[in-house]
Amino acid sequence: MALPLPTPNADSRPYWDAAQQGRLVVQHCAACGTVQAVPRGCCGNCQSPALEWRDSALRGTVASFSVVHRGPTAAFRNSTPYVLALIDVAGGVRLMLNIIGPGPDEVQIGEEVEITFEPRGEAGFQMPQARRITA
Ligand SMILES: [Zn+2]
C-alpha cells in the first residue's frame, strides 16, 4: 500500500507547486511582516489578505521529534520506524516533517537538518522532508 499524497487546495497549491520544483516557500504578510507556515487565505496575525510567497532557506534545526514504531495505517506501518519531527526552519517557520536517512534512533533535539524533497507515488510527487546532516 502506497503512502498517501497531499491534496492541494486553493491556499496550499503554491506551496505544493514550489515543492515540485525543489523549492520550499512560505507566506509573508505584507501588512505586518508575519511569516506563516500553514498556507491560509489571510494572515493568521492581522487577518490581512496581502500575503506573498517567498522562498525559504533549506536548513533548519530539530525542535522536537518522535520515532514512530507503529504507523497509523497499513501504508505507514510498512515504513516504520520513521521519524516525525518539528523543524525550526531558518527564516522563522516551524514545519512538521519526516526526517529521512540513516540513524533514526540517533536524531537529537537541536540537530541541524537540511530540507530536501523525496519523490512519492507513481508520478513522483515531491514531498518536503528533512535530512540529517552527518559529517
Ligand atoms: Zn499580518
Side-chain angles (χ1 to χ4, degrees), residues 29 31-34 43 45-48:
C29 176
C32 76
T34 294
C43 173
N45 182 52
C46 74
Q47 288 72 53
S48 170

Side-chain angles (χ1 to χ4, degrees), residues 22-110:
R23 297 166 42 232
L24 182 68
V25 295
V26 294
Q27 288 180 314
H28 284 246
C29 176
C32 76
T34 294
V35 181
Q36 59 188 19
V38 177
R40 299 186 187 108
C42 66
C43 173
N45 182 52
C46 74
Q47 288 72 53
S48 170
L51 296 170
E52 54 189 47
W53 290 96
R54 293 186 191 167
D55 282 81
S56 170
L58 296 176
R59 289 269 181 154
T61 56
V62 177
S64 187
F65 70 96
S66 180
V67 180
V68 179
H69 290 274
R70 188 173 176 145
T73 66
F76 285 99
R77 281 191 279 278
N78 291 336
S79 302
T80 58
Y82 61 88
V83 181
L84 187 60
L86 293 175
I87 305 296
D88 286 334
V89 179
V93 296
R94 177 173 281 182
L95 297 178
M96 183 177 286
L97 300 170
N98 291 123
I99 298 179
I100 61 174
D105 293 327
E106 299 170 11
V107 173
Q108 295 184 359
I109 290 173

